[in-house]
Amino acid sequence: NPRPGSSGPSATAAAPRPVHVIAPQAASAASADGSMTIVIQGTVTGLEASATGGIHIHEGVSCATTSDPGGHYYPGMETDPWLVTTYSSDGTGAATVMFEVPGFTLSGSNPVAGRVMVVHDSSGARIGCGELSATAGEIVSMGAYPGTVSDVKGLLVVTATGSGVTV
């Protein structure tokens, strides 16, 4: 696996497989100590069957080239919080994700809006990339990672709620 923040290996697949994000939701909520947390929730398809991989927000703001996404986004934090945000796919290559990541907001402190979300396969290779676009909610249109043969596709929507953010 590549070290956190590195560009990692380029992904090549024996057979292209579409990756889709279905029924996305996102949220941001304040915890009891006043820190902020984002919640990422949705379903991703087109993944390797029966595998575990990563899904992370990266520091970049574009998926146009392999270097644009940059490394994991965790400004001013001692530990990379994205090392534990993973999916486990079923036998059809679908995974439902739901995790909270403290220390981030949609548009306040350590904002994720405007950055990119990257999906990694079980080897750590980048296979999907989508931009968190500014709208009434934040939308991630997920597609194949630049330079790969992956068919990862999907759409995530992150919105603010009365109690936080929903992805």
Side-chain angles (χ1 to χ4, degrees):
N1 285 343
R3 69 171 181 74
S6 72
S7 60
S10 63
T12 55
R17 56 189 187 281
V19 176
H20 305 275
V21 180
I22 305 166
Q25 296 180 25
S28 176
S31 66
D33 65 4
S35 64
M36 297 303 293
T37 298
I38 58 169
V39 178
I40 299 174
Q41 177 179 345
T43 301
V44 182
T45 65
L47 303 165
E48 299 167 275
S50 304
T52 298
I55 183 167
H56 319 109
I57 294 177
H58 281 234
E59 61 194 2
V61 297
S62 171
C63 295
T65 69
T66 58
S67 62
D68 286 345
H72 294 175
Y73 176 60
Y74 58 108
M77 299 177 177
E78 291 183 28
T79 305
D80 183 348
W82 303 108
L83 295 178
V84 296
T85 56
T86 61
Y87 64 84
S88 292
S89 64
D90 63 17
T92 68
T96 298
V97 297
M98 194 299 207
F99 47 85
E100 296 180 1
V101 187
F104 298 94
T105 64
L106 289 179
S107 58
S109 298
N110 293 341
V112 298
R115 302 212 178 273
V116 298
M117 183 173 284
V118 173
V119 175
H120 299 264
D121 69 11
S122 62
S123 74
R126 297 174 177 191
I127 60 169
C129 187
E131 299 172 12
L132 287 157
S133 303
T135 62
E138 298 300 322
I139 298 182
V140 178
S141 177
M142 190 67 64
Y145 194 80
T148 70
V149 294
S150 162
D151 286 325
V152 173
K153 293 180 183 172
L155 185 66
L156 294 167
V157 178
V158 180
T159 58
T161 66
S163 62
V165 176
T166 301
V167 175

